[in-house]
Amino acid sequence: RQHLVFPRWVVVVSVSHGYDDMFLNWLYWYNELQMDTQLIVVAEDNSTLQKYKACLQFTVMGIDLQESSGPLTYRSTEYNKLVSKRPRYLLDLLHLHKHLIYTDIDTVWKNDPRPFLTGNFDIWAYNDHLSEVCSGFIG
């Protein structure tokens, strides 16, 4: 495999108690790529923060923690309330890290995405629908 040199990238994921098994699956595949990136896990509830705060493999941040619950129904009031906080902390992280990838944990990376993130762009994302940008992967 050819060794490519990239600017220092930070990968950010959001995790809550109801999706911990999905996070562990995502983390397994992320680790398989052996990327030289900093991983920031944003704990969205206290139980997730407590579980991972001593982990040395990645940085854990607790942002406006909610009570632990199970998986939320997509587009429910609780789900929308939770995900509406993400743009704020992603913007804060962008002030600290020029090269940032945010990804949902229901993805699997088979290859390092950074070779595709080239050119003079402010953001890389994909359309969920014709008029909506999906936040599942943003670079």
Side-chain angles (χ1 to χ4, degrees):
R1 171 160 73 165
Q2 181 183 1
H3 179 73
L4 300 174
V5 177
F6 298 100
R8 183 71 175 148
W9 282 86
V10 174
V11 176
V12 179
V13 294
S14 301
V15 182
S16 59
H17 175 75
Y19 298 94
D20 189 58
D21 57 342
M22 199 176 288
F23 167 64
L24 293 174
N25 182 66
W26 180 90
L27 185 62
Y28 171 84
W29 289 104
Y30 171 80
N31 286 335
E32 285 291 301
L33 295 177
Q34 299 178 7
M35 295 171 51
D36 180 27
T37 57
Q38 177 185 357
L39 175 60
I40 298 176
V41 173
V42 179
E44 295 182 318
D45 56 42
N46 195 47
S47 66
T48 301
L49 178 64
Q50 296 307 314
K51 180 175 181 177
Y52 293 113
K53 70 180 180 182
C55 185
L56 300 176
Q57 181 183 359
F58 47 79
T59 303
V60 180
M61 298 172 50
I63 308 268
D64 195 16
L65 300 174
Q66 301 295 308
E67 291 300 316
S68 300
S69 64
L72 301 175
T73 302
Y74 181 65
R75 294 202 179 198
S76 67
T77 301
E78 295 83 11
Y79 174 86
N80 290 339
K81 182 178 176 185
L82 182 68
V83 300
S84 68
K85 297 175 184 179
R86 293 176 182 168
R88 177 77 250 164
Y89 65 71
L90 288 174
L91 181 60
D92 291 343
L93 287 168
L94 274 170
H95 288 295
L96 299 172
H97 307 282
K98 182 178 178 184
H99 300 285
L100 184 141
I101 296 172
Y102 174 82
T103 186
D104 284 347
I105 56 173
D106 63 350
T107 62
V108 172
W109 293 0
K110 301 279 288 188
N111 293 298
D112 184 341
R114 294 175 297 172
F116 302 98
L117 306 179
T118 61
N120 189 20
F121 300 97
D122 293 328
I123 187 170
W124 291 274
Y126 60 92
N127 288 343
D128 206 7
H129 301 285
L130 291 177
S131 63
E132 295 179 13
V133 173
C134 180
S135 64
F137 181 92
I138 299 173

